[in-house]
Every structure is written in C-alpha cells, then in structure tokens.
Amino acid sequence: MSDQAGRKSFSEISRKLLSFAQYLYQIGLPDAAAAYEDFARELDGGVTRERLREICADVLTSLRAGPMSISDRYVTDLDGSPDESANTRYFALIDDLRKFARANLRREGIARFLPGFH
C-alpha cells in the first residue's frame, strides 16, 4: 500500500473510530469511547507498524462477541427502546472496524515472510 493510500484509509478508519466512540458514549461506555478516540488520533498522527498491530489487536479484543461485550450492546432512544437506525449504523461500524483490524493483522503476519520486511 502506498503511503498516500495508507493515509487515506487511516483517515477513513479514524472517522469510523470517532463515530463508534460517540455510540460508546451513548451506551454508557466512556472509557471504551475514550480509547477509540485515542486510536483515531494515533492513526491520524501516524503510527509504526508495531503500534498499528497493537491497535488492531486491541480493537479485535474489544469487539469480541459475548455477553455484556461491546458487540452485545444496543443503542437506545431516550425512552429505552432500541433505536433501529442507530443500531444499524453501530453494528455496521463494528463490522468495518473488525475487517480493518483483521486485514491489518493478516497483512502484518504475511509481510514478515517477504524480503525486505522490517
């Protein structure tokens, strides 16, 4: 991936991280939201391959499925009923963030076997 393409994809994923953080605040997970905001800022500022790998691993860990996990939560309206349109966007962001993290971890895993990788 060229540096320009890398910056573009990082910028796009940073926006998704920030959008996701807003949902995390809304569902009552301010510490997780702050972590996602930090990840976005780091990607915008430029990260090493190792730090990108760490961020991707943290994202995948935080988005594991299971009871009381982030991906087991729902966005609700003020009356406590599910907000269907917000949930559609919320779960789409979870899918996008998982794909990004998996793709970068997989690329990193394969790249270590290629000549010139450092």
Side-chain angles (χ1 to χ4, degrees):
M1 176 178 352
S2 74
D3 191 40
Q4 176 104 359
R7 278 195 300 268
K8 182 180 179 200
S9 66
F10 282 176
S11 175
E12 180 181 330
I13 204 68
S14 291
R15 283 191 302 275
K16 289 180 181 188
L17 289 164
L18 291 172
S19 293
F20 190 64
Q22 292 309 304
Y23 286 116
L24 294 175
Y25 281 119
Q26 190 174 346
I27 64 175
L29 298 172
D31 292 339
Y36 275 82
E37 289 173 332
D38 289 345
F39 293 158
R41 279 191 290 278
E42 285 186 71
L43 289 179
D44 283 340
V47 292
T48 64
R49 286 184 189 160
E50 180 60 26
R51 183 60 186 139
L52 177 60
R53 190 188 69 69
E54 291 169 357
I55 289 170
C56 290
D58 286 347
V59 166
L60 283 178
T61 298
S62 72
L63 296 178
R64 276 188 291 202
M68 299 306 297
S69 66
I70 288 175
S71 59
D72 189 46
R73 308 279 179 119
Y74 291 90
V75 181
T76 59
D77 288 323
L78 293 176
D79 67 1
S81 65
D83 182 332
E84 296 300 329
S85 62
N87 280 309
T88 298
R89 291 186 303 274
Y90 175 74
F91 289 110
L93 285 168
I94 288 173
D95 287 341
D96 289 348
L97 295 174
R98 282 179 177 153
K99 287 176 187 173
F100 172 80
R102 286 181 185 134
N104 279 284
L105 288 173
R106 187 172 28 243
R107 184 175 19 249
E108 184 72 18
I110 292 169
R112 66 185 164 169
F113 299 108
L114 300 175
F117 178 77
H118 301 285

